[in-house]
């Protein structure tokens, strides 16, 4: 089953499908050691990784297993980063949330706003019951984003990945449909 990647608008952001024109911006984001310091994969060294990422976004939609969207600032079209729901399991009504933002966009509430918009779409469209997210335990800012949206920290995966050669723990967060509180901020029509 194909799942159309949504185009969503919030007060400050536009979430949209990736295009090939995003490859340079995506490569700049994922090749940054600062951005990738808490990820369980090394910074990209080859621009072709960005092209494969964009192709994978299309496959995820074609396979109906999720949606990954580029995030632009509505005021000037600046690339903010991306947000995605993957591993959609219609039988268990679950999915996983992830996001990655340009450091210049950190601290402005964009991750919270984008994730909230994508979650609203997902709860409405995919009939989700549970969304899960993980964050490196050293990445307190990402944990705060998830908690602002309503996620509950459910536990710690001890030494579950190696980040830059260092064994690292991850927090597991969960958000249940019955706990979901849509934003009180107005969202323009999609």
């Amino acid at each position: 089953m194909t799942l159309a990647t949504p185009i969503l608008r919030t007060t400050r952001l536009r979430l949209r499908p990736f295009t090939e024109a995003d490859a340079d911006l995506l490569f700049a984001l994922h090749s940054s050691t600062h951005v990738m310091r808490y990820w369980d994969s090394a910074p990209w060294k080859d621009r072709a990784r960005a092209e494969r990422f964009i192709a994978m976004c299309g496959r995820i939609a074609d396979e109906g297993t999720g949606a990954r969207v580029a995030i632009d600032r509505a005021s000037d079209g600046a690339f903010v980063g991306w947000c995605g729901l993957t591993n959609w399991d219609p039988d268990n009504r679950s999915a996983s949330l992830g996001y990655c933002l340009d450091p210049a966009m950190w601290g402005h509430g964009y991750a919270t706003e984008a994730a909230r918009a994508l979650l609203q779409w997902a709860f409405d469209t995919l009939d989700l019951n549970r969304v899960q997210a993980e964050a490196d335990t050293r990445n307190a800012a990402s944990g705060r984003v998830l908690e602002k949206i309503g996620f509950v920290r459910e536990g710690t995966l001890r030494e579950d990945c190696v980040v830059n050669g260092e064994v690292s723990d991850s927090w597991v967060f969960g958000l249940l449909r019955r706990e979901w509180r849509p934003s009180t901020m107005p969202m323009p029509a999609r």
Side-chain angles (χ1 to χ4, degrees):
M1 173 182 113
T2 299
L3 183 62
T5 302
I7 297 174
L8 306 171
R9 289 179 173 76
T10 70
T11 304
R12 301 181 302 157
L13 303 173
R14 185 177 88 132
L15 287 66
R16 59 170 177 79
F18 277 98
T19 68
E20 291 177 13
D22 295 315
D24 287 336
L25 295 167
L26 195 57
F27 177 67
L29 179 65
H30 280 269
S31 64
S32 166
T33 56
H34 183 63
V35 171
M36 301 300 288
R37 71 186 184 277
Y38 299 127
W39 287 68
D40 58 356
S41 61
W44 295 351
K45 297 190 182 314
D46 179 10
R47 185 182 177 282
R49 289 283 306 266
E51 294 164 0
R52 290 194 300 271
F53 181 94
I54 292 168
M56 177 58 76
C57 293
R59 279 195 298 281
I60 290 169
D62 291 345
E63 295 167 356
T65 58
R68 205 177 272 151
V69 293
I71 307 166
D72 297 327
R73 195 166 44 201
S75 63
D76 60 3
F79 180 73
V80 173
W82 62 265
C83 185
L85 278 166
T86 57
N87 303 317
W88 178 45
D89 179 345
D91 294 332
N92 291 304
R93 298 173 42 218
S94 63
S96 298
L97 175 73
Y99 45 83
C100 185
L101 273 65
D102 184 291
M105 303 296 179
W106 294 353
H108 298 282
Y110 295 141
T112 303
E113 190 172 328
R116 190 179 295 280
L118 191 60
L119 285 167
Q120 184 64 58
W121 169 82
F123 278 117
D124 291 347
T125 305
L126 306 179
D127 190 33
L128 290 177
N129 182 60
R130 175 184 169 79
V131 180
Q132 183 167 307
E134 293 180 18
D136 188 297
T137 57
R138 298 167 297 174
N139 191 351
S142 189
R144 282 192 302 275
V145 166
L146 293 167
E147 289 171 343
K148 280 191 247 181
I149 301 166
F151 280 79
V152 174
R153 191 166 71 194
E154 299 176 331
T156 303
L157 298 174
R158 299 177 313 139
E159 298 185 7
D160 73 314
C161 59
V162 178
V163 177
N164 296 320
E166 184 178 332
V167 176
S168 178
D169 299 338
S170 294
W171 287 318
V172 176
F173 292 84
L175 175 63
L176 304 179
R177 174 182 283 283
R178 70 175 179 266
E179 299 166 343
W180 170 242
R181 301 291 176 256
S183 175
T184 56
M185 293 175 56
M187 281 184 42
R190 296 177 196 151

